[in-house]
Amino acid sequence: DIQLTQSPSFLSASVGDRVTITCRASQGISNSLAWYQQKPGEAPNLLIYAASTLQSGVPARFSGGGSGAEFTLTISGLLPEDFATYYCQEGNIYPVTFGQGTRLEIK
Amino acid sequence: EVQLVESGGALVQPGGSLRLSCAASGFTFSDQYMDWVRQAPGKGLEWVGRIRNKHDSYTTEYAASVKDRFTISRDDSEKSLYLQMNSLKTEDTAVYYCARVWSRWNVNWGRGTLVTVSS
């Protein structure tokens, strides 16, 4: 099974900051990675798929990069609504796996 | 507008059974693969399983943690997805989400239904 490890697990930042979350896969997965945002009490929301493609309707301050076994999610210019938990997901190999999550909180 | 509405969550004793449903609208349900994903209280997301469409023979995939206990099925005429859960364990306590699969990604999610396994 593919293991996905996100770092950091917890991140404290301020409105306006630029932050980067990393997701490392236990083996190469090409670009088969997505990022989701989840706010408390809500379902997850797809932000980025195929490592770097922005889902329709997602603001351009979100960007994804990487391939192989290391991927990043960058949020440029944090807004108050961006404080949430973020998960990466591998989508090509069964079982489908998620990273453990990165909780982004306001400093 | 795509809508997914889960139902059927309840309090059940260990060893018991429960069937969850997910009613879909706003897209051609029969064409889509569908997933179940769960989230234990205060924890991360865990993929439960997937059912493919008729074209791909309604085949299924499961996480190891639920294989042989859970069964995913669908009724395309009713635009509904199901999760039959047997031999429930306390560690199955979670919010269960149904999610539409587009390409390989979970592009739409329901609001979830809570399953509590406790004596």
Side-chain angles (χ1 to χ4, degrees), chain B residues 32-65:
Chain B
Q32 305 298 307
Y33 292 11
M34 297 293 296
D35 279 359
W36 286 98
V37 178
R38 68 184 181 182
Q39 187 168 37
K43 302 298 184 183
L45 302 171
E46 181 187 14
W47 179 80
V48 172
R50 176 169 294 173
I51 187 165
R52 299 179 178 89
N53 54 21
K54 180 179 180 180
H55 180 267
D56 292 319
S57 305
Y58 298 127
T59 52
T60 53
E61 305 285 346
Y62 296 95
S65 58

Short mmCIF file of all heavy atoms in Angstrom, two decimals, chain B residues 32-65:
data_model
loop_
_atom_site.label_atom_id
_atom_site.label_comp_id
_atom_site.label_asym_id
_atom_site.label_seq_id
_atom_site.Cartn_x
_atom_site.Cartn_y
_atom_site.Cartn_z
N GLN B 32 -21.07 7.03 -13.19
CA GLN B 32 -19.99 7.37 -12.27
C GLN B 32 -19.56 6.22 -11.36
O GLN B 32 -20.38 5.40 -10.95
CB GLN B 32 -20.41 8.53 -11.36
CG GLN B 32 -20.88 9.76 -12.09
CD GLN B 32 -19.79 10.37 -12.94
OE1 GLN B 32 -18.70 10.64 -12.47
NE2 GLN B 32 -20.09 10.58 -14.21
N TYR B 33 -18.27 6.20 -11.04
CA TYR B 33 -17.80 5.42 -9.91
C TYR B 33 -18.17 6.21 -8.66
O TYR B 33 -18.23 7.45 -8.67
CB TYR B 33 -16.28 5.28 -9.92
CG TYR B 33 -15.67 4.44 -11.03
CD1 TYR B 33 -16.39 3.98 -12.13
CD2 TYR B 33 -14.32 4.12 -10.96
CE1 TYR B 33 -15.78 3.22 -13.11
CE2 TYR B 33 -13.69 3.36 -11.93
CZ TYR B 33 -14.44 2.91 -13.01
OH TYR B 33 -13.81 2.17 -13.99
N MET B 34 -18.39 5.47 -7.55
CA MET B 34 -18.73 6.11 -6.29
C MET B 34 -17.91 5.51 -5.16
O MET B 34 -17.60 4.31 -5.15
CB MET B 34 -20.22 5.92 -5.98
CG MET B 34 -21.17 6.57 -6.97
SD MET B 34 -21.11 8.38 -6.97
CE MET B 34 -21.70 8.75 -5.31
N ASP B 35 -17.56 6.36 -4.20
CA ASP B 35 -16.76 5.95 -3.04
C ASP B 35 -17.54 6.14 -1.74
O ASP B 35 -18.44 6.98 -1.64
CB ASP B 35 -15.50 6.82 -2.92
CG ASP B 35 -14.38 6.40 -3.84
OD1 ASP B 35 -14.54 5.41 -4.58
OD2 ASP B 35 -13.32 7.08 -3.81
N TRP B 36 -17.11 5.40 -0.74
CA TRP B 36 -17.42 5.70 0.65
C TRP B 36 -16.09 6.03 1.34
O TRP B 36 -15.09 5.33 1.16
CB TRP B 36 -18.09 4.53 1.36
CG TRP B 36 -19.51 4.30 0.97
CD1 TRP B 36 -19.99 3.39 0.05
CD2 TRP B 36 -20.66 4.98 1.48
NE1 TRP B 36 -21.36 3.48 -0.03
CE2 TRP B 36 -21.79 4.44 0.84
CE3 TRP B 36 -20.86 6.00 2.43
CZ2 TRP B 36 -23.11 4.87 1.11
CZ3 TRP B 36 -22.14 6.43 2.70
CH2 TRP B 36 -23.25 5.87 2.03
N VAL B 37 -16.13 7.13 2.11
CA VAL B 37 -14.97 7.58 2.88
C VAL B 37 -15.47 7.85 4.29
O VAL B 37 -16.57 8.39 4.46
CB VAL B 37 -14.35 8.86 2.27
CG1 VAL B 37 -13.17 9.35 3.12
CG2 VAL B 37 -13.90 8.62 0.83
N ARG B 38 -14.69 7.51 5.30
CA ARG B 38 -15.13 7.74 6.66
C ARG B 38 -14.11 8.56 7.43
O ARG B 38 -12.95 8.68 7.05
CB ARG B 38 -15.41 6.43 7.38
CG ARG B 38 -14.20 5.58 7.65
CD ARG B 38 -14.61 4.24 8.28
NE ARG B 38 -13.47 3.40 8.59
CZ ARG B 38 -13.58 2.16 9.11
NH1 ARG B 38 -14.77 1.65 9.37
NH2 ARG B 38 -12.48 1.47 9.35
N GLN B 39 -14.60 9.12 8.54
CA GLN B 39 -13.75 9.96 9.39
C GLN B 39 -14.14 9.73 10.84
O GLN B 39 -15.24 10.13 11.25
CB GLN B 39 -13.90 11.43 9.01
CG GLN B 39 -12.95 12.36 9.72
CD GLN B 39 -12.95 13.74 9.10
OE1 GLN B 39 -13.98 14.25 8.66
NE2 GLN B 39 -11.79 14.37 9.06
N ALA B 40 -13.28 9.06 11.58
CA ALA B 40 -13.51 8.85 13.00
C ALA B 40 -13.45 10.20 13.72
O ALA B 40 -12.80 11.14 13.25
CB ALA B 40 -12.48 7.89 13.57
N PRO B 41 -14.12 10.32 14.86
CA PRO B 41 -14.15 11.60 15.58
C PRO B 41 -12.75 12.15 15.85
O PRO B 41 -11.91 11.46 16.44
CB PRO B 41 -14.88 11.25 16.87
CG PRO B 41 -15.72 10.06 16.54
CD PRO B 41 -14.93 9.28 15.54
N GLY B 42 -12.50 13.35 15.40
CA GLY B 42 -11.22 14.01 15.62
C GLY B 42 -10.06 13.45 14.82
O GLY B 42 -8.91 13.83 15.05
N LYS B 43 -10.34 12.56 13.88
CA LYS B 43 -9.28 11.93 13.11
C LYS B 43 -9.33 12.32 11.64
O LYS B 43 -10.17 13.13 11.22
CB LYS B 43 -9.41 10.39 13.24
CG LYS B 43 -9.36 9.88 14.66
CD LYS B 43 -8.04 10.19 15.34
CE LYS B 43 -7.98 9.58 16.72
NZ LYS B 43 -6.71 9.93 17.44
N GLY B 44 -8.44 11.73 10.86
CA GLY B 44 -8.36 12.04 9.44
C GLY B 44 -9.31 11.21 8.60
O GLY B 44 -10.13 10.45 9.09
N LEU B 45 -9.17 11.39 7.30
CA LEU B 45 -10.03 10.70 6.33
C LEU B 45 -9.50 9.30 6.05
O LEU B 45 -8.30 9.09 5.91
CB LEU B 45 -10.07 11.50 5.02
CG LEU B 45 -10.58 12.94 5.15
CD1 LEU B 45 -10.36 13.68 3.83
CD2 LEU B 45 -12.03 12.96 5.55
N GLU B 46 -10.42 8.35 5.94
CA GLU B 46 -10.06 6.97 5.60
C GLU B 46 -10.98 6.49 4.48
O GLU B 46 -12.19 6.46 4.63
CB GLU B 46 -10.19 6.04 6.81
CG GLU B 46 -9.81 4.60 6.47
CD GLU B 46 -10.09 3.62 7.60
OE1 GLU B 46 -10.81 3.97 8.55
OE2 GLU B 46 -9.58 2.48 7.53
N TRP B 47 -10.39 6.13 3.36
CA TRP B 47 -11.15 5.57 2.24
C TRP B 47 -11.67 4.20 2.64
O TRP B 47 -10.92 3.37 3.19
CB TRP B 47 -10.23 5.47 1.03
CG TRP B 47 -10.82 4.90 -0.19
CD1 TRP B 47 -11.63 5.54 -1.10
CD2 TRP B 47 -10.63 3.58 -0.69
NE1 TRP B 47 -11.94 4.68 -2.12
CE2 TRP B 47 -11.35 3.48 -1.91
CE3 TRP B 47 -9.92 2.47 -0.25
CZ2 TRP B 47 -11.37 2.32 -2.68
CZ3 TRP B 47 -9.94 1.31 -1.01
CH2 TRP B 47 -10.66 1.24 -2.21
N VAL B 48 -12.96 3.97 2.39
CA VAL B 48 -13.60 2.70 2.75
C VAL B 48 -13.67 1.77 1.53
O VAL B 48 -13.34 0.59 1.61
CB VAL B 48 -15.01 2.95 3.31
CG1 VAL B 48 -15.76 1.63 3.49
CG2 VAL B 48 -14.93 3.73 4.61
N GLY B 49 -14.13 2.33 0.41
CA GLY B 49 -14.25 1.47 -0.76
C GLY B 49 -14.86 2.18 -1.94
O GLY B 49 -15.29 3.33 -1.84
N ARG B 50 -14.91 1.50 -3.06
CA ARG B 50 -15.37 2.06 -4.33
C ARG B 50 -16.19 1.02 -5.08
O ARG B 50 -15.90 -0.18 -5.02
CB ARG B 50 -14.18 2.46 -5.17
CG ARG B 50 -14.48 2.98 -6.57
CD ARG B 50 -13.25 3.61 -7.21
NE ARG B 50 -12.86 4.81 -6.49
CZ ARG B 50 -11.74 5.50 -6.72
NH1 ARG B 50 -10.91 5.11 -7.64
NH2 ARG B 50 -11.47 6.58 -6.02
N ILE B 51 -17.20 1.52 -5.80
CA ILE B 51 -17.94 0.69 -6.74
C ILE B 51 -17.87 1.35 -8.11
O ILE B 51 -18.06 2.57 -8.24
CB ILE B 51 -19.40 0.45 -6.28
CG1 ILE B 51 -20.07 -0.57 -7.21
CG2 ILE B 51 -20.20 1.74 -6.19
CD1 ILE B 51 -21.37 -1.14 -6.66
N ARG B 52 -17.56 0.56 -9.08
CA ARG B 52 -17.49 1.06 -10.45
C ARG B 52 -18.88 1.06 -11.08
O ARG B 52 -19.85 0.65 -10.46
CB ARG B 52 -16.49 0.22 -11.25
CG ARG B 52 -15.06 0.30 -10.67
CD ARG B 52 -14.09 -0.55 -11.47
NE ARG B 52 -12.73 -0.44 -10.96
CZ ARG B 52 -12.22 -1.22 -10.00
NH1 ARG B 52 -12.97 -2.16 -9.45
NH2 ARG B 52 -10.97 -1.06 -9.61
N ASN B 53 -18.95 1.54 -12.31
CA ASN B 53 -20.24 1.63 -12.99
C ASN B 53 -20.57 0.35 -13.75
O ASN B 53 -19.80 -0.63 -13.73
CB ASN B 53 -20.24 2.85 -13.93
CG ASN B 53 -19.07 2.83 -14.90
OD1 ASN B 53 -18.49 1.78 -15.16
ND2 ASN B 53 -18.74 3.98 -15.45
N LYS B 54 -21.73 0.36 -14.43
CA LYS B 54 -22.18 -0.83 -15.14
C LYS B 54 -21.19 -1.22 -16.22
O LYS B 54 -20.91 -2.41 -16.41
CB LYS B 54 -23.57 -0.58 -15.75
CG LYS B 54 -24.13 -1.78 -16.50
CD LYS B 54 -25.51 -1.48 -17.06
CE LYS B 54 -26.07 -2.68 -17.80
NZ LYS B 54 -27.42 -2.40 -18.36
N HIS B 55 -20.66 -0.20 -16.90
CA HIS B 55 -19.69 -0.46 -17.97
C HIS B 55 -18.51 -1.29 -17.45
O HIS B 55 -17.95 -2.11 -18.17
CB HIS B 55 -19.19 0.86 -18.55
CG HIS B 55 -18.19 0.69 -19.64
ND1 HIS B 55 -16.82 0.68 -19.42
CD2 HIS B 55 -18.35 0.52 -20.98
CE1 HIS B 55 -16.20 0.52 -20.56
NE2 HIS B 55 -17.10 0.41 -21.53
N ASP B 56 -18.16 -1.07 -16.21
CA ASP B 56 -17.06 -1.80 -15.59
C ASP B 56 -17.57 -2.84 -14.60
O ASP B 56 -16.92 -3.15 -13.60
CB ASP B 56 -16.09 -0.82 -14.93
CG ASP B 56 -15.36 0.00 -15.97
OD1 ASP B 56 -14.96 -0.57 -17.00
OD2 ASP B 56 -15.22 1.23 -15.78
N SER B 57 -18.77 -3.33 -14.89
CA SER B 57 -19.33 -4.51 -14.23
C SER B 57 -19.61 -4.35 -12.75
O SER B 57 -19.68 -5.35 -12.02
CB SER B 57 -18.41 -5.74 -14.45
OG SER B 57 -18.19 -5.95 -15.82
N TYR B 58 -19.76 -3.12 -12.31
CA TYR B 58 -20.09 -2.85 -10.89
C TYR B 58 -19.06 -3.49 -9.95
O TYR B 58 -19.40 -3.86 -8.82
CB TYR B 58 -21.48 -3.36 -10.53
CG TYR B 58 -22.62 -2.72 -11.30
CD1 TYR B 58 -23.55 -3.51 -11.98
CD2 TYR B 58 -22.78 -1.34 -11.34
CE1 TYR B 58 -24.60 -2.93 -12.67
CE2 TYR B 58 -23.84 -0.75 -12.04
CZ TYR B 58 -24.74 -1.56 -12.70
OH TYR B 58 -25.78 -0.99 -13.39
N THR B 59 -17.85 -3.62 -10.38
CA THR B 59 -16.84 -4.23 -9.50
C THR B 59 -16.51 -3.29 -8.35
O THR B 59 -16.73 -2.08 -8.42
CB THR B 59 -15.58 -4.58 -10.29
OG1 THR B 59 -15.15 -3.43 -11.00
CG2 THR B 59 -15.84 -5.72 -11.25
N THR B 60 -15.99 -3.87 -7.29
CA THR B 60 -15.75 -3.12 -6.07
C THR B 60 -14.31 -3.27 -5.58
O THR B 60 -13.61 -4.23 -5.92
CB THR B 60 -16.68 -3.59 -4.95
OG1 THR B 60 -16.58 -5.02 -4.81
CG2 THR B 60 -18.12 -3.21 -5.23
N GLU B 61 -13.87 -2.30 -4.80
CA GLU B 61 -12.59 -2.33 -4.10
C GLU B 61 -12.85 -1.92 -2.66
O GLU B 61 -13.71 -1.07 -2.42
CB GLU B 61 -11.59 -1.35 -4.73
CG GLU B 61 -11.35 -1.52 -6.21
CD GLU B 61 -10.49 -2.70 -6.56
OE1 GLU B 61 -9.85 -3.27 -5.65
OE2 GLU B 61 -10.45 -3.06 -7.76
N TYR B 62 -12.09 -2.46 -1.73
CA TYR B 62 -12.28 -2.16 -0.32
C TYR B 62 -10.95 -1.93 0.38
O TYR B 62 -9.91 -2.49 0.01
CB TYR B 62 -13.00 -3.31 0.38
CG TYR B 62 -14.41 -3.55 -0.11
CD1 TYR B 62 -14.67 -4.51 -1.09
CD2 TYR B 62 -15.47 -2.80 0.37
CE1 TYR B 62 -15.95 -4.72 -1.56
CE2 TYR B 62 -16.76 -3.01 -0.09
CZ TYR B 62 -17.00 -3.96 -1.05
OH TYR B 62 -18.27 -4.18 -1.52
N ALA B 63 -11.02 -1.14 1.44
CA ALA B 63 -9.88 -1.03 2.36
C ALA B 63 -9.76 -2.34 3.13
O ALA B 63 -10.77 -3.02 3.41
CB ALA B 63 -10.09 0.12 3.33
N ALA B 64 -8.53 -2.68 3.51
CA ALA B 64 -8.30 -3.93 4.24
C ALA B 64 -9.09 -3.97 5.54
O ALA B 64 -9.54 -5.03 5.99
CB ALA B 64 -6.82 -4.10 4.51
N SER B 65 -9.28 -2.79 6.17
CA SER B 65 -9.92 -2.72 7.48
C SER B 65 -11.40 -3.09 7.44
O SER B 65 -11.99 -3.40 8.48
CB SER B 65 -9.76 -1.31 8.05
OG SER B 65 -10.32 -0.36 7.18
#
